């Protein structure tokens, strides 16, 4: 089994900010819009270096989406930035009508997703956004796991034609994907295993790797796959792995309804059914606490993944 280590922790939103800064230097068609959260989205450098291509729209997220859709008509590539809750739930109608239905080349970039938003509480901790966005026809949905992957995804979506939802977070997490290539729609196998497939996304990828090491000590060989692109889903990689292991655990910082787990379940049900367990929030809102406290309470950590693996293997 390949052991993944890290030498530093960085927030994934900084990966977005650094990627956007690089895009500003490389691609004159890239423009950025922010809803009064420039610092939180790490868009400061882009705004400073390219004031003529940066639009501070204020606390008017719906207007931001409309402006972004309009900018695409002139050949611009707009990146919108605000919290995930405001990027999706607050402006769903505008995204559906002006971006998805119209197939506009807008990049909806969302920080502070999931429970790891922490102390801001349930009203800001959106756990439904992946489901909302993946149901929109033509929408690409990406959920990155660390700083390096977020930066790589930011660069990649500028080259992708069509609407994209890019989801990332606030807390500092291990940086461990530095040398891994990023391709939209292509899963990344991180470890090889024969007993169980662990399919994880976002912050749960690192937890899955930690779980795999613990499982190795119990004599269980786990294959860990990083699904950074929820839609389009890399069904080939999933089916190939599960054909070997015979069971799967999915892990995500999202409601169990509508997220990665359900996409994997649909893939298996329509191709090769296999036992599956879900590590996800169990149909509830969050609450105010530290990210670590919330991840433990809501069962979104390595310990929860180990338990899910032991359960799913018993079902084979």
């Amino acid at each position: 089994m390949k052991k993944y280590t890290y030498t530093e922790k960085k927030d994934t939103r900084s990966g977005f900010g650094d990627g956007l800064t690089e895009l500003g230097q490389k691609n004159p068609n890239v423009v950025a819009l922010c809803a009064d959260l420039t610092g939180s989205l790490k868009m400061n450098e882009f705004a400073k270096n390219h004031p003529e291509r940066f639009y501070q729209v204020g606390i008017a997220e719906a207007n931001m989406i409309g402006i972004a859709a309009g900018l695409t008509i002139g050949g611009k590539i707009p990146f919108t930035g605000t919290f995930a809750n405001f990027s999706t739930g607050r402006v769903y109608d505008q995204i559906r009508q002006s971006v998805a239905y119209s197939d506009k080349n807008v990049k909806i970039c969302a920080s502070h997703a999931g429970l790891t938003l922490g102390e801001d509480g349930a009203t800001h901790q959106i756990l439904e956004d992946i489901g909302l966005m993946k149901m929109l026809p033509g929408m690409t949905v990406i959920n990155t796991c660390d700083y390096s992957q977020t930066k790589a995804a930011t660069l990649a979506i500028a080259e992708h034609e069509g609407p994209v939802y890019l989801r990332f977070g606030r807390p500092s997490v291990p940086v461990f994907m530095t040398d891994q290539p990023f391709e939209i729609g292509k899963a990344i196998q991180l470890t090889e295993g024969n007993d169980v497939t662990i399919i994880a996304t976002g912050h749960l990828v690192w937890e899955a790797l930690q779980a795999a090491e613990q499982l190795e000590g119990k004599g269980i060989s786990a294959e860990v796959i990083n699904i950074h692109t929820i839609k389009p889903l890399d069904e080939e990689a999933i089916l190939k792995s599960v054909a070997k292991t015979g069971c799967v655990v999915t892990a995500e910082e999202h409601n169990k309804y509508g997220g990665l787990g359900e996409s994997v379940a649909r893939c298996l049900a329509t191709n090769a059914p296999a036992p599956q367990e879900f590590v996800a929030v169990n149909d509830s809102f969050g609450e105010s606490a530290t990210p670590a406290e919330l991840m433990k309470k809501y069962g979104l950590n390595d310990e929860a993944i180990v338990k899910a693996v032991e359960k799913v293997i018993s079902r084979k």
Side-chain angles (χ1 to χ4, degrees), residues 217-232:
K218 294 173 178 262
I220 298 172
S221 173
E223 187 152 287
V224 177
I225 298 177
N226 174 358
I227 295 283
H228 50 71
T229 306
I230 312 294
K231 181 187 176 187

Side-chain angles (χ1 to χ4, degrees), residues 190-206:
L190 298 179
T191 70
E192 291 187 8
N194 298 306
D195 298 324
V196 63
T197 300
I198 304 174
I199 298 175
T201 189
H203 293 144
L204 270 293
V205 175
W206 178 254

Side-chain angles (χ1 to χ4, degrees), residues 39 52 119 140 162:
E52 76 287 357
E119 292 84 353
T140 294

